[in-house]
Amino acid sequence: MIHESKSEKAGGGLPIGKVSEMTGLGVHALRFFEREGLLLRDIPRTSGGQRIYEQADVDWLVLCCRLRDSDMPIATLRRFAELVRSGPGNEPERLAMLQEHERSVRTKIAGLTASLDVIHGKVTVYEQHVRDGTAAGVWSPTPGQNPS
């Protein structure tokens, strides 16, 4: 069960620990995102200096995590954030960035799929050898033998 903090109940936003929990990012990573200009706004602070996030910040961070998990470079993510922060009028540039990243991810997926096909073929061969009791020497570097 997740308990709300006093500031959340009062509509005062989300503390960094809660945002860390919601996004899976550590507090150091959240501070890094802020330092690197990857957020869409300056995160306000309480009178005690604690960062206070809003749900929109969390939603943006979740997107950033997906883009980073799919290998979008920090510099590209920073440029994308700059474009979003600057407001309407640059949507074609944002779209082009996302399309390029999509192409890159699809290429990686195709490569991983080809690798998975090879690996699955090896799994199938080994499963058959193990079932048949012929697994000894399945992968032998001896010349003339068919590597499985």
Side-chain angles (χ1 to χ4, degrees), residues 39-59:
L39 299 177
L40 297 182
R41 68 185 185 113
D42 291 333
I43 301 301
R45 294 177 184 246
T46 65
S47 58
Q50 296 173 326
R51 291 168 175 83
I52 298 295
Y53 296 83
E54 297 297 332
Q55 184 60 48
D57 302 314
V58 172
D59 295 343

Side-chain angles (χ1 to χ4, degrees), residues 2 61 126 134:
I2 298 174
L61 285 163
Y126 273 74
T134 59

